[in-house]
Amino acid sequence: MRRLLLLLFLNFLFVCAPLSAQEPPRVLEFSPRGTVKNVRQAKAGFSEPMVAFGDPRAAAPFSVLCAEPGQGRWVDPRTWVYDFERDLPGGIRCTFTLNAGVRSLSGRDLGGAREFSFSTGGPAIRNALPSAGLRGISEDQVFILVLDSVPEEETVLARARFTIAGIAQAVGVEILAGEPRKAILDAHPWLFEHGVEASRCLLLRCRQRFPQKAKVNLVWGKGIRSASGVATDQEQVLAFETREAFLAEFTCERENPRSGCIPVLPMRLRFNAPLDSGQTGEVVLKGPGGTSWSAPLGKDNGALTFEGPFPANADFQLELPDGVRDDAGRAPANAGRFPLKIRTAGYPPLAKFAARFGIIELNAEPMLPVTIRNLEPGPAARMMKVDVGTTGRVNGKILNLGPGRIDDVQSWLRRVTAARRDSSLLAGEPAASDFKLPQALGAGAFEVIGIPLETPGLYIVEIESAILGKALLDPPRPMYVPAAALVTNLSVHFKQGRESSLVWVTTLDTAAPVPGADVDVRACDGRVLWSGRTDPDGVARIEAELPPAADSASCAHDLSDADSFELSGSMVLGDGLFITAHTAEDMSFVHSSWSEGIEAWRFKLPEEVGTGPFIAHTIFDRSLLRAGEIVHMKHLIRRHTMEGFAVPPPDRLPDTVSIRHAGSSQTYELQVVWDAVGVAESRWAIPKEAKLGSYSVSLICKSAPAGEAGAGESADDDGGEPQIFRSLLSGRFRVEEFRLPLLKGRIQPPLKPLVNAREVALDLGVQYLAGGGAGLLPVTLRADVAARRLPAFEGFEEVVFANGPVTEGR
C-alpha cells in the first residue's frame, strides 16, 4: 500500500510539473494604476502563495519609490498591501518594483510585469470660494481655489482661463500675490481650520472685468503641473454668473398697468444690492403743497417704505441723496431717472366682506358688515331672501336657508367657494330679491354698512357693481362680490375616532348643552352616513366606524377661476365629513377638515397618519452589512383596537416584503408567510453587485383592490371593514464597504538557534489588520510539546528524535 501511494505521488509530480512550469507565478493584479485621486493604500495580488500564512519575518516583495512614506504588510499568503500614512495629495507619482530574487512559497521565480506605477495627477481644485454655481459674483471677482497640491504658477497662467458668454475669445487669468493675497486670506481664517495649507490656496481673477448679468466659466485647463512635475490630464470647469447692474427700483400697487399708484397703499423703493455700510442720507418723497415723506438709507437693508394714505390724483417726486453706492462702490445705473416723477390715481372703488364665510352670533344683534368706497349710488345687490325688516335705505326681502333647508347648506357653501368675480352666483335663483345700499357719503370715503340678519340660518349675499368691474376686469363688465354668513346660537363639535365618534352641541352665548338636537353626518356628495339625536348632555355617540375621508373625485370643485386669495381655510370644503345639527328654531354645522388651531400635535397627542391602525416592525440580526452577506429578518404586525393590540385577520395580512434602495429606488421583493400570532421570518441574500447605501423594508399588501389609495385605509364599496394598507414601512438597514476589526498576532522568537535552552524570550505583538497596534490586551501563553513523526521511506524506517528513537509501529 505504501509503494502504491508513493507511485501515485511521483506520477503526480512528473505529470503536473511540466504544466506548472508553463505558468510561472506572477502579479495577477495591482491597484491603483494610472491617474487616481484620494489614494491611501496600494495592493498587489499574486497568482500563488508567496509566504507562509502568519510568517512575521516575510520580506516585502517590492521596492517602493514614492515621496510619501508608508508601510507594507502581508494580508494573506497571496496579498500584499502598502498603507500610506495619509491620503496622497495631488502631484505624487509612486513606482513599485519587484525585488530581485523574489520567489513564490514553492521556490519558483516570478514572471510577468515587474514594475507598477500610479499617479495622483496634477493639481486639482478641491474647493472654491465663491462656490461653483453661485450667481451674483462681482465684475472683478477674486476666486480662492483650494488645490490638492502646489502648482507651477507658469503653467497656471498658460493653461487656466475664463470663458464669458458673449465674448468669443477666452480671457486669461492673473495670480494675486504679496499683500493683496495676504489681506484676502486673513479675511477668511476659517479656510485653515480643517488643515488646509496656505501654500495650496491659489487666488485668481480675470484679466478684464466681467460684464453684468453674464455666464462665466473658470476653466482649470489640461496640462497644469504641480511642483513635483505631474500635470493634469483633463479640464475642470466651474460655472458662475455675474450680478445685475445696481438699480434703485420703485414699486407701488396699481389697479391696472395704466393707472397711477393707489393712494391708500404704501410706496416702496428697493435697491437690488446691499448698500455701503457707511451710507448716510435720506430718500425724500415730495408731494403737493409742500408735503414730504422721508426714509433714511441703510435702515431696512436697502428696502424703504413710504406709508400712505397719500393725496389722490396728485403728482409726487422721489429724490435720492447724493453719493448713493452699494457695497462694491457702484452708483445706481438708473440714477439719471431721479428725481422720479410719480402720480397717484383716485381712490379705487371697493366692496369687500370680511371673509367669504363667517359665523355671526344670533343673540348679539347679528349684522353682516360690508366695506364700500366710490361705488355708484345705490349699487344693485342680491341676497338669498331673509324674513327681516328693513334698516336705513336697505329695501327688499332676504331668504334664509334655515333649519328646514339644512340639506342644501353644503352645496351652497361649495358654490360660494367656487364663485367667479365676472358671473353672478344668484342669477336665475327665483328666491333671490334685490335691495339697495344707502347713498354714499362722498368720494373717497370708507363706509362700513351693516346688513341686518335677525333670524337663524345660512345667508348667501352677492353685491353687483359696474364701477368695480370697470376698474378690475378686462374687458370691463359688472363685477360680483359674494359671501356666506351663518347666523346661529349653536356650536357643533366633532371628534372622529377609528371605531367610534362623538358629536356634541352647545349654545354660543352660555355654552350650555343642547339636548334633543338632530345630528346628521354627511359625505361630501350629501349622502347621510349617520343620523341621531343628542342626549340630555348634548352628546351624540356614534357607535360605528366612519370613513376617514370621502372620495376625492366626487368632492372636487374647480377653484381655478375663483377668488382664491379671498378664501379662508374654513371656507374650502375638501375631503372629509360634513356634520349638521338643528333644532326646530336653529341650526349649525361643522366640517371635519376645519381643524386649524386644534390639531392633535399642538396638544402633544398621538396622531395616526398614512397606515391607519396598523403598526409593523422588522427585527434584524444586524443592521450594517456588506454586499454578498445574508440579512435575516423577523417581521411583526399588529392592529390598534379599543382593547389594545390585536393580530390582523389572515385575509388582511401583507403578502410581500419589499426591500428598496433609498438612492436608486431599486426594489427587491420576497414572499412572506405569517404564523397565527402575526410573526413572519425571511432572509435575503444581498447580491454582490448590490448598491451601497440605505435600504428600507416595507410590508406590501398586493391583494388589496386595484383602485385603493396608495397608503392608509379606504372603505369597501359596500361600507364594510376598511381594507388594509398598501405599504407599511417596518425597518431600515445599510449595505456598506467596511473593514472588520480583525487582529493579527505575532510571536517573534530569538533569531539565534536554541541549543539546550532552559528559557526562551519571546516578543508578542497584536495589530489590527486595518493598521495600528492593539494595546492593553490580556495575553495567555499555552505550549504543547509532542513527538513529531517524519515521513517513512523504505530502508529508513527508524528515525531519531531529540527525545530518543522512535520506530515504526511504536
Side-chain angles (χ1 to χ4, degrees), residues 390-436:
T390 59
T391 301
R393 298 287 299 276
V394 178
N395 300 315
K397 295 181 180 181
I398 302 174
L399 178 63
N400 175 13
L401 292 176
R405 297 193 58 181
I406 197 168
D407 295 343
D408 300 331
V409 168
Q410 186 175 192
S411 62
W412 269 106
L413 286 175
R414 292 182 178 277
R415 290 176 63 181
V416 174
T417 299
R420 295 166 52 97
R421 297 189 297 175
D422 59 353
S423 61
S424 174
L425 180 66
L426 301 177
E429 176 64 34
S433 59
D434 295 338
F435 76 93
K436 293 183 179 180

Side-chain angles (χ1 to χ4, degrees), residues 614 637-639 641 645-650 653 675-679:
F614 296 96
I637 185 169
R638 297 291 184 269
R639 175 174 178 166
T641 65
F645 290 103
V647 178
L653 289 172
D675 61 15
V677 295
V679 176

Side-chain angles (χ1 to χ4, degrees), residues 246 273-280 297-298 323-330:
F246 178 43
L275 297 178
D276 180 69
S277 58
Q279 186 72 59
T280 59
L297 289 174
V324 175
R325 296 290 187 273
D326 69 353
D327 57 351
R330 300 181 299 170

Side-chain angles (χ1 to χ4, degrees), residues 73-104:
R73 56 187 172 87
W74 288 97
V75 176
D76 57 49
R78 295 173 182 261
T79 307
W80 181 83
V81 297
Y82 189 84
D83 294 309
F84 294 97
E85 293 183 358
R86 61 169 181 165
D87 290 338
L88 298 187
I92 299 296
R93 182 180 287 111
C94 297
T95 302
F96 292 75
T97 306
L98 280 172
N99 293 324
V102 173
R103 293 180 174 85
S104 67

Side-chain angles (χ1 to χ4, degrees), residues 110-128:
L110 269 63
R114 303 188 65 84
E115 184 175 291
F116 307 90
S117 63
F118 69 88
S119 167
T120 56
I125 301 174
R126 290 293 183 86
N127 203 350

Side-chain angles (χ1 to χ4, degrees), residues 71 87 90 105 157 203 209 245 254 304-305 331 335 338 384 459 472 573 604 658 673 675 774 782 787:
Q71 184 176 4
D87 290 338
L105 186 60
L157 296 173
L203 276 62
R209 291 176 63 88
R254 307 169 188 267
L304 309 178
T305 301
F338 289 85
M384 293 300 296
Y459 295 83
L472 301 177
L573 303 181
K604 298 183 179 180
S658 175
V673 178
D675 61 15
R782 295 185 177 91

